[in-house]
Structure formats: C-alpha cells, structure tokens
Amino acid sequence: MFTGAKKIQKPAGDAPTDFEQRVAQELWNLEMSAVEIKSELRDLYITSAQEVPVGPVSAGKKAIIIFVPFRLLKQFHKIHVRLVRELEKKFSGSHVVILAQRKILGKNFARSSKQKGPRPRSRTLTTVQDAILEDLVYPTEIVGKRTRCKVDGTMELKVFLEWKEKVNVDTKLETFSDVYKRLTHKDVVFEFPVEEA
C-alpha cells in the first residue's frame, strides 16, 4: 500500500510514476522514523523524481534527481546533508541530488493585460541554468567559473568548487557533470582550485 501520497504533488494532477512513488514512500518512512529531521520533513513534499545513468554504461551507476517546489527549497536546504545521507542509504549505490523546479520563459514572453513589463530575470535560460548548477553542488559553494572555447568550436564550462569541501564532494563530481549535461545539454567539468603555498 502506498502511504507516501502526501509527499509528492504533481502539477495539474498528473499521476506519479512508480519510481516517484518509491521516493515519496522513502520520504514518508524517513518522516516516521528519523527523529532528528521529523519535524522539518512534515511540511515538505516533492514534485517529481528521476533516476538517470551516471558514468560509463558498463559501470551501471545511477543518480537520483529529486525536484522540489522552488518555495520549499530553503527548507530542504536546512536538512539537506542529513536527508541526502539517509536517502543514499535507502537507494544504495546511487547519489541523490535535490533541485528546485524552475520555469524558463522564452524571449517572446508576453505578460497578461494585468501585468506589464519584460520577463523576470529569474526566468531566463542563463539564470535558470546557473541556479541548477548552484542547487546541484549544494552545500558546497562555487568559487569560480571559466568557459573554455575549444578549437573545434565546442564550449566547456569549468566550475571551481570550495577546496575545504573536497573530502565530501570528490566522489560526486562525475555525477554532477552527468546530471547537469542531462538537464541542460551542456558540458561541465568540476574541479578544485589549486592551493598555492
């Protein structure tokens, strides 16, 4: 029996997939069992979840992308480390990333007659992709970005992460790159800046 129905709310009443139900059920189980995050999890829910392959196909690694409503993202960030740790235990062998559900508005966006003005900056493609990058590496901070234009015309984004978080994040760098590529169709390389003596 599916008891985690209140932990997933799909837009426009769409039915959740079996995998989304599984993730919602695990969130509900955590709310019932994990005393330290029980009160924070009570009012939180997700909008969707995906399981995506990471790395070489032969390795068989998977990552779980959990989409949450944008307005609940700060509350998810309060318990992010503990929640991700618990979910990675439940879904053994998979990295878990939590991203806010954001909307991109096109350049020819026209507001209704009640609202005037151009499209909000927070809904542009560039801003949404930068925000996905920030959500992806949370709680690690991004300390620098470089765009590298190769001779063959392709562009590669290099993202430098905070050095002191290397121990916690080093194993997830490939996951971050593959998830970002899957969501935005852009290549990105995550690195740590070299410490100068």
Side-chain angles (χ1 to χ4, degrees), residues 19-30:
F19 181 72
E20 289 172 339
Q21 286 181 354
R22 212 171 112 210
V23 172
Q25 183 66 42
E26 291 301 336
L27 281 171
W28 188 81
N29 292 345
L30 277 174

Side-chain angles (χ1 to χ4, degrees), residues 133 141-146 157-162 191 193:
L133 204 54
E141 289 185 26
I142 295 173
V143 294
K145 292 182 195 174
R146 303 285 182 272
L157 180 65
K158 279 189 177 185
V159 176
F160 297 102
L161 302 176
E162 195 171 1
E191 295 178 357

